[in-house]
Amino acid sequence: MKGLINKERWITVVLVAIFFLAWEWSAGNGFISKFIFPQPSRVFASMIELTASGELTENLFATLTRLFFGFLLGGIPGLLIGLFMGWRPRIRRMLTPVISALHPIPKIALFPILLVLFGIGETSMSILIALAVFFPTLVNAMEGARQINTVYLEVASNVNASRWLVFRRIIFPSSLPFVFAGAQIALNIGLIVTISVEMLQGRNGLGRMMWFGWQMMRLEQVYSVIFIIGIMGLAINALINACMRWFAPWYDIRGQAEY
Amino acid sequence: MLPYAHCSPQCKPQSQRMPARLVAWVCGICTGGTLDGASLRDFKLSFQVDNIRKEFSSQNGSVVAIENINFLAGAEEFICIVGPSGCGKTTLLKIIAGLALPTSGSVNFLSALNPNQLRSAMVFQDLALFPWMNVLDNVAFGLEALGVDKAQRRTRALKFLDRLGLAGFAKNYPHELSGGMRQRAAILRAFLCEPQILLMDEPFGALDAQTRLVMQDELLRIWKEFKHTVVYVTHDIEEAILLGDRVLVMSGRPSNIRADIRVELPRPRHLTDQSHPEIADLRFQIWKMLEEEVRKEVGSINV
């Protein structure tokens, strides 16, 4: 199994390498515009330059901080409300229409309202990111709590377990795989919204850097940031996998077995 | 081998508030004197199932799962319930456990409960070990719910895990255990909280024949030690004869108790034991009763 995974990894690496080599070669030969599609080697050089000057690290840190606080601010309420909605059908019936109506609203469209409410600054940005993170976290946590086999709840009520014990020992841990899947979606959406909002308003951050690259017509800077964002996506994936292995080692990816 | 008269469906249900001793006396009469005066005085009752009826309603109308269920269970009695599949054995067990409410009738518990003692604990058909907890936490869950502190939970659980050959697996997850081990863990979770009544819903149904024999043996050893009242649901006639002090035979839907058979065989029992020809008789007797029901069931499928 492990060998198979490694083999598949290598195929991915080779395919990506071919893509970059083709890009490098066609931009160098003038098949595609060097200006619009600067060669990967030039993007890479600009990345090193930006790192050396400290600009990239600083902006990356600013983006990560915003994402982190926004994620906590939206994720924790989303998690709790979602679990309760999944656990208690009456709460679910009560709140589902509200959630369904609010979910599709483009969160970035609420930014002007937040600016009026909280002023220009980190508060409105964090709240916007939190709003974006809230919904996917909630929906997944709800599904996680809903899919619990009722026999587990019967076991608990058979021994007169308190509600707090049921939540702590059954609802919460058994939902974890779904919660992590939700966290992955939420982090990615959160990152999208963070970068978008930085383009609009940030003093710093990766979004600002990209916008700056466009304004100065330094497209290799834009590409650098895009590459960095891709690497962040890989990191999010690795983080979630690690969490899954650490906090839910019992979970088999092929589906939850019942015992 | 005498049927309890009060358990036949024709019999009037016992009054709900009847004192335990009086009920015991009636019970003694009903057993046709199986219990003599002395043992009657020692005969403690555990609970009474009083005229239970359960109806499930759906969009296509309602179905009566069980009706007219009456029986008395003595403390320290091992009662097996056999019946055709889908006859409501699990429903009855859940009603006794308090996990489901009967449409009418009641379960009356006739013995005092110590503080912090559970009235009943159930071993579920599909075991229902929590996949996200290790074996130790799984078996100690009942104690945790009872408010036993962590250190004590640990010592008590480990003591029995050791006895059941699971000590090395305390930190493992259920999916890492064999079927027999999981079974033992599930049973241990129920009896570790020392309930008054142990309810078991075909706990060995998924095991292979050899493992099942060993597990039945272990179960009897545990029971001899703790002396709970056991209600054991099975579809296996031989298992019922092997384990039970009494075998209640249920009919098909709407099901009631067709017969209440006392198994007067010395323990330990072995099905292959040639010295007890009664075993074969019993098996035949129960099978005759069930055969009719099963044929009805199969016939209705063919139609």
Side-chain angles (χ1 to χ4, degrees), chain A residues 148-149 151-162 165 168-171 173-174 249-251 256-259, chain B residues 94 97 99 118 120-122 124 126-133 137 141-142 144-145 173-175 182 189 193:
Chain A
I148 296 172
N149 192 332
V151 78
Y152 297 132
L153 300 174
E154 282 184 334
V155 170
S157 77
N158 186 224
V159 294
N160 300 331
S162 66
L165 190 72
R168 196 161 55 87
R169 296 296 258 159
I170 297 176
I171 303 291
S174 70
W250 49 272
Y251 188 70
Q256 191 183 351
E258 283 159 24
Y259 301 109
Chain B
K94 281 192 176 169
L99 292 173
L118 279 182
S120 66
M122 187 151 167
F124 290 82
D126 36 11
L127 299 186
L129 289 173
F130 304 122
W132 55 89
M133 284 187 201
D137 288 347
F141 181 75
E144 192 175 356
Y173 287 95
H175 71 265
R182 263 181 246 149
R189 176 172 65 188
C193 31

Side-chain angles (χ1 to χ4, degrees), chain A residues 118-186:
Chain A
F118 300 101
I120 297 170
E122 293 298 325
T123 320
S124 8
M125 284 162 88
S126 299
I127 290 173
L128 188 71
I129 299 160
L131 281 174
V133 163
F134 176 79
F135 290 95
T137 317
L138 181 142
V139 169
N140 278 276
M142 180 172 79
E143 280 312 312
R146 254 178 97 169
Q147 53 78 39
I148 296 172
N149 192 332
T150 42
V151 78
Y152 297 132
L153 300 174
E154 282 184 334
V155 170
S157 77
N158 186 224
V159 294
N160 300 331
S162 66
R163 286 201 177 161
W164 168 233
L165 190 72
V166 172
F167 180 80
R168 196 161 55 87
R169 296 296 258 159
I170 297 176
I171 303 291
F172 182 68
S174 70
S175 310
L176 274 183
F178 281 75
V179 168
F180 286 131
Q184 180 160 21
I185 300 171

